[in-house]
Amino acid sequence: MRAKIFNYTFNLDLCENITMIIGDSGVGKSLIYEYLKAQSFDNENIHCYNAEKISDLRKDKQSFIDKIKTHKNSLIVIDNADTILDLNIRKFIGFDTQRGNKYIIFGRNGEWLWVTEDNIAELVRNDKTKEFKLNYLFKGVNSL
Amino acid sequence: MITVYTKKEHIEKDKKLVQFVDLTFNKLAYDMKLNQLDTEYMRKIDGASYLGDGKMETVFGTTWITNLSTGCKVLILLNHYGKNKDYVINIGECGQNALDEVFKLSDCNILMEFKNKPMEYDKNKKILLKKATTNKELTLVEFFSKGWK
């Protein structure tokens, strides 16, 4: 997926079922989450969750894990992951290999998600070339 | 001294945990008076210039301070509420750059549920590690090695 986010370009190159996106505060992780959330408006195969969404689910007496279990062949995007993913959800996502889902997880804690260098990428922003890039750890961390 | 909790369950009942930093900050931001240190964090972490009246200039254009990064929101909340020992602030969403600033602070309560080491820190700086029944004073280098969990 190649995207234009304001005046920046972004190539969303997903390698594995789970892509964990790390990076410094302020680099633009939540901006990319908001972009994907906006795309989910008319795309029923994109589902986005962050702290605000979880708070809304709780008010509606809905369970996050039950909600996630309903998704198939979807792109599931999770922001604030280190705060909103509990152990049960982590285990579910970590073993969710038969339903055709792909996950983008903005966070740093890979516990129970079985993430390795193959699916952890650092988000880097270059203000000169106006570009966001994912640097996968297995390729070595390069600057743009 | 910075007091560190590594599990929510260890936080005393009379303390208030600020777990969802984004939501808490966004709720408070509309009536928050930002000071010089806040605007310094905005510049350092998000590269943003504060314009006043809740607005800021970023590389993406002019926007509201509710669009600051979560790491920057953590630092601003710590600046305003950190010295109030009734609050424990979740720093789990901080990137390395924000984490460096957190561990420069002198006095606050933080929740750090998984090991995320700052890039630069004063190795001899002491923190208080709070557990369910015990408190332990450790240097940061001890905390990030054998003292963790």
mmCIF file of all heavy atoms in Angstrom, chain B residues 82-106:
data_model
loop_
_atom_site.group_PDB
_atom_site.id
_atom_site.type_symbol
_atom_site.label_atom_id
_atom_site.label_comp_id
_atom_site.label_asym_id
_atom_site.label_seq_id
_atom_site.Cartn_x
_atom_site.Cartn_y
_atom_site.Cartn_z
ATOM 1 N N GLY B 82 3.316 15.259 37.942
ATOM 2 C CA GLY B 82 4.347 14.336 38.418
ATOM 3 C C GLY B 82 4.685 14.493 39.888
ATOM 4 O O GLY B 82 4.923 13.516 40.590
ATOM 5 N N LYS B 83 4.715 15.746 40.339
ATOM 6 C CA LYS B 83 5.108 15.980 41.744
ATOM 7 C C LYS B 83 3.972 15.653 42.707
ATOM 8 O O LYS B 83 4.181 15.549 43.911
ATOM 9 C CB LYS B 83 5.561 17.424 41.914
ATOM 10 C CG LYS B 83 6.935 17.673 41.316
ATOM 11 C CD LYS B 83 7.566 18.945 41.858
ATOM 12 C CE LYS B 83 9.025 19.034 41.491
ATOM 13 N NZ LYS B 83 9.241 19.289 40.060
ATOM 14 N N ASN B 84 2.762 15.508 42.176
ATOM 15 C CA ASN B 84 1.627 15.118 43.006
ATOM 16 C C ASN B 84 1.676 13.602 43.191
ATOM 17 O O ASN B 84 1.429 12.840 42.253
ATOM 18 C CB ASN B 84 0.319 15.527 42.309
ATOM 19 C CG ASN B 84 -0.889 15.234 43.164
ATOM 20 O OD1 ASN B 84 -0.834 14.395 44.063
ATOM 21 N ND2 ASN B 84 -1.973 15.930 42.894
ATOM 22 N N LYS B 85 2.017 13.188 44.387
ATOM 23 C CA LYS B 85 2.266 11.765 44.638
ATOM 24 C C LYS B 85 0.978 10.926 44.629
ATOM 25 O O LYS B 85 1.031 9.715 44.824
ATOM 26 C CB LYS B 85 3.023 11.588 45.959
ATOM 27 C CG LYS B 85 4.484 12.047 45.871
ATOM 28 C CD LYS B 85 5.242 11.103 44.946
ATOM 29 C CE LYS B 85 6.729 11.404 44.908
ATOM 30 N NZ LYS B 85 7.451 10.507 44.019
ATOM 31 N N ASP B 86 -0.163 11.575 44.410
ATOM 32 C CA ASP B 86 -1.414 10.817 44.312
ATOM 33 C C ASP B 86 -1.559 10.145 42.946
ATOM 34 O O ASP B 86 -2.431 9.308 42.754
ATOM 35 C CB ASP B 86 -2.627 11.747 44.507
ATOM 36 C CG ASP B 86 -2.684 12.306 45.910
ATOM 37 O OD1 ASP B 86 -2.082 11.679 46.805
ATOM 38 O OD2 ASP B 86 -3.305 13.361 46.110
ATOM 39 N N TYR B 87 -0.739 10.561 41.983
ATOM 40 C CA TYR B 87 -0.871 10.043 40.617
ATOM 41 C C TYR B 87 0.293 9.134 40.229
ATOM 42 O O TYR B 87 1.429 9.393 40.590
ATOM 43 C CB TYR B 87 -0.926 11.198 39.607
ATOM 44 C CG TYR B 87 -2.181 12.018 39.703
ATOM 45 C CD1 TYR B 87 -2.216 13.187 40.452
ATOM 46 C CD2 TYR B 87 -3.348 11.627 39.052
ATOM 47 C CE1 TYR B 87 -3.375 13.944 40.560
ATOM 48 C CE2 TYR B 87 -4.505 12.378 39.144
ATOM 49 C CZ TYR B 87 -4.513 13.531 39.904
ATOM 50 O OH TYR B 87 -5.661 14.270 39.999
ATOM 51 N N VAL B 88 -0.051 8.095 39.465
ATOM 52 C CA VAL B 88 0.974 7.248 38.843
ATOM 53 C C VAL B 88 0.705 7.310 37.341
ATOM 54 O O VAL B 88 -0.419 7.050 36.899
ATOM 55 C CB VAL B 88 0.887 5.783 39.322
ATOM 56 C CG1 VAL B 88 1.955 4.934 38.648
ATOM 57 C CG2 VAL B 88 1.013 5.696 40.841
ATOM 58 N N ILE B 89 1.723 7.669 36.575
ATOM 59 C CA ILE B 89 1.510 7.865 35.132
ATOM 60 C C ILE B 89 2.171 6.739 34.335
ATOM 61 O O ILE B 89 3.341 6.417 34.539
ATOM 62 C CB ILE B 89 2.013 9.264 34.709
ATOM 63 C CG1 ILE B 89 1.143 10.312 35.443
ATOM 64 C CG2 ILE B 89 1.931 9.449 33.193
ATOM 65 C CD1 ILE B 89 1.504 11.745 35.216
ATOM 66 N N ASN B 90 1.373 6.143 33.451
ATOM 67 C CA ASN B 90 1.836 5.039 32.614
ATOM 68 C C ASN B 90 2.783 5.573 31.539
ATOM 69 O O ASN B 90 2.383 6.396 30.711
ATOM 70 C CB ASN B 90 0.596 4.386 31.966
ATOM 71 C CG ASN B 90 0.949 3.274 31.007
ATOM 72 O OD1 ASN B 90 2.068 2.766 31.011
ATOM 73 N ND2 ASN B 90 -0.013 2.884 30.181
ATOM 74 N N ILE B 91 4.028 5.104 31.524
ATOM 75 C CA ILE B 91 4.977 5.592 30.514
ATOM 76 C C ILE B 91 5.216 4.551 29.416
ATOM 77 O O ILE B 91 6.149 4.670 28.631
ATOM 78 C CB ILE B 91 6.318 6.032 31.155
ATOM 79 C CG1 ILE B 91 7.050 4.839 31.787
ATOM 80 C CG2 ILE B 91 6.108 7.130 32.176
ATOM 81 C CD1 ILE B 91 8.527 5.101 31.979
ATOM 82 N N GLY B 92 4.348 3.543 29.371
ATOM 83 C CA GLY B 92 4.521 2.429 28.425
ATOM 84 C C GLY B 92 4.488 2.834 26.959
ATOM 85 O O GLY B 92 4.980 2.100 26.106
ATOM 86 N N GLU B 93 3.914 3.969 26.650
ATOM 87 C CA GLU B 93 3.806 4.387 25.245
ATOM 88 C C GLU B 93 4.959 5.284 24.807
ATOM 89 O O GLU B 93 4.955 5.781 23.682
ATOM 90 C CB GLU B 93 2.493 5.155 25.038
ATOM 91 C CG GLU B 93 1.240 4.426 25.448
ATOM 92 C CD GLU B 93 0.740 3.462 24.405
ATOM 93 O OE1 GLU B 93 1.127 3.614 23.236
ATOM 94 O OE2 GLU B 93 0.003 2.542 24.760
ATOM 95 N N CYS B 94 5.919 5.515 25.723
ATOM 96 C CA CYS B 94 7.017 6.438 25.390
ATOM 97 C C CYS B 94 8.034 5.795 24.451
ATOM 98 O O CYS B 94 8.485 4.677 24.684
ATOM 99 C CB CYS B 94 7.771 6.851 26.660
ATOM 100 S SG CYS B 94 6.897 8.041 27.654
ATOM 101 N N GLY B 95 8.417 6.535 23.424
ATOM 102 C CA GLY B 95 9.553 6.131 22.599
ATOM 103 C C GLY B 95 10.840 6.443 23.356
ATOM 104 O O GLY B 95 10.813 7.081 24.406
ATOM 105 N N GLN B 96 11.956 6.009 22.768
ATOM 106 C CA GLN B 96 13.247 6.190 23.451
ATOM 107 C C GLN B 96 13.532 7.656 23.760
ATOM 108 O O GLN B 96 14.050 7.979 24.825
ATOM 109 C CB GLN B 96 14.376 5.648 22.565
ATOM 110 C CG GLN B 96 14.249 4.183 22.232
ATOM 111 C CD GLN B 96 14.766 3.304 23.342
ATOM 112 O OE1 GLN B 96 15.880 3.475 23.765
ATOM 113 N NE2 GLN B 96 13.967 2.387 23.792
ATOM 114 N N ASN B 97 13.172 8.539 22.817
ATOM 115 C CA ASN B 97 13.476 9.961 23.024
ATOM 116 C C ASN B 97 12.694 10.520 24.216
ATOM 117 O O ASN B 97 13.222 11.299 25.005
ATOM 118 C CB ASN B 97 13.207 10.774 21.752
ATOM 119 C CG ASN B 97 11.838 10.532 21.151
ATOM 120 O OD1 ASN B 97 11.134 9.602 21.520
ATOM 121 N ND2 ASN B 97 11.446 11.377 20.210
ATOM 122 N N ALA B 98 11.436 10.121 24.354
ATOM 123 C CA ALA B 98 10.626 10.594 25.487
ATOM 124 C C ALA B 98 11.086 9.946 26.791
ATOM 125 O O ALA B 98 11.118 10.578 27.846
ATOM 126 C CB ALA B 98 9.153 10.307 25.233
ATOM 127 N N LEU B 99 11.479 8.680 26.674
ATOM 128 C CA LEU B 99 11.946 7.950 27.853
ATOM 129 C C LEU B 99 13.214 8.590 28.444
ATOM 130 O O LEU B 99 13.371 8.663 29.667
ATOM 131 C CB LEU B 99 12.240 6.504 27.435
ATOM 132 C CG LEU B 99 11.959 5.401 28.424
ATOM 133 C CD1 LEU B 99 10.572 5.492 29.003
ATOM 134 C CD2 LEU B 99 12.159 4.049 27.764
ATOM 135 N N ASP B 100 14.094 9.052 27.557
ATOM 136 C CA ASP B 100 15.305 9.752 28.030
ATOM 137 C C ASP B 100 14.923 10.920 28.929
ATOM 138 O O ASP B 100 15.563 11.158 29.961
ATOM 139 C CB ASP B 100 16.109 10.300 26.838
ATOM 140 C CG ASP B 100 16.864 9.211 26.091
ATOM 141 O OD1 ASP B 100 16.806 8.050 26.511
ATOM 142 O OD2 ASP B 100 17.511 9.538 25.081
ATOM 143 N N GLU B 101 13.880 11.646 28.536
ATOM 144 C CA GLU B 101 13.454 12.823 29.311
ATOM 145 C C GLU B 101 12.781 12.406 30.621
ATOM 146 O O GLU B 101 12.961 13.061 31.640
ATOM 147 C CB GLU B 101 12.487 13.690 28.483
ATOM 148 C CG GLU B 101 13.079 14.236 27.197
ATOM 149 C CD GLU B 101 14.286 15.135 27.448
ATOM 150 O OE1 GLU B 101 14.264 15.910 28.413
ATOM 151 O OE2 GLU B 101 15.265 15.014 26.666
ATOM 152 N N VAL B 102 12.010 11.314 30.585
ATOM 153 C CA VAL B 102 11.339 10.849 31.807
ATOM 154 C C VAL B 102 12.369 10.590 32.903
ATOM 155 O O VAL B 102 12.210 11.012 34.046
ATOM 156 C CB VAL B 102 10.509 9.565 31.544
ATOM 157 C CG1 VAL B 102 10.054 8.926 32.851
ATOM 158 C CG2 VAL B 102 9.316 9.860 30.655
ATOM 159 N N PHE B 103 13.445 9.899 32.529
ATOM 160 C CA PHE B 103 14.425 9.512 33.560
ATOM 161 C C PHE B 103 15.385 10.647 33.935
ATOM 162 O O PHE B 103 16.272 10.449 34.760
ATOM 163 C CB PHE B 103 15.150 8.230 33.150
ATOM 164 C CG PHE B 103 14.280 7.021 33.373
ATOM 165 C CD1 PHE B 103 13.567 6.467 32.324
ATOM 166 C CD2 PHE B 103 14.109 6.495 34.650
ATOM 167 C CE1 PHE B 103 12.717 5.382 32.538
ATOM 168 C CE2 PHE B 103 13.266 5.414 34.869
ATOM 169 C CZ PHE B 103 12.562 4.859 33.805
ATOM 170 N N LYS B 104 15.168 11.835 33.354
ATOM 171 C CA LYS B 104 15.903 13.022 33.819
ATOM 172 C C LYS B 104 15.139 13.706 34.954
ATOM 173 O O LYS B 104 15.667 14.579 35.618
ATOM 174 C CB LYS B 104 16.073 14.027 32.669
ATOM 175 C CG LYS B 104 17.139 13.656 31.670
ATOM 176 C CD LYS B 104 17.205 14.715 30.578
ATOM 177 C CE LYS B 104 18.048 14.218 29.419
ATOM 178 N NZ LYS B 104 17.857 15.052 28.221
ATOM 179 N N LEU B 105 13.858 13.342 35.123
ATOM 180 C CA LEU B 105 13.031 14.001 36.139
ATOM 181 C C LEU B 105 13.508 13.629 37.539
ATOM 182 O O LEU B 105 14.136 12.586 37.731
ATOM 183 C CB LEU B 105 11.560 13.607 35.956
ATOM 184 C CG LEU B 105 10.921 14.076 34.643
ATOM 185 C CD1 LEU B 105 9.562 13.424 34.453
ATOM 186 C CD2 LEU B 105 10.792 15.594 34.624
ATOM 187 N N SER B 106 13.174 14.492 38.490
ATOM 188 C CA SER B 106 13.667 14.230 39.843
ATOM 189 C C SER B 106 12.621 13.551 40.726
ATOM 190 O O SER B 106 12.959 12.807 41.640
ATOM 191 C CB SER B 106 14.133 15.529 40.498
ATOM 192 O OG SER B 106 13.108 16.485 40.433
#
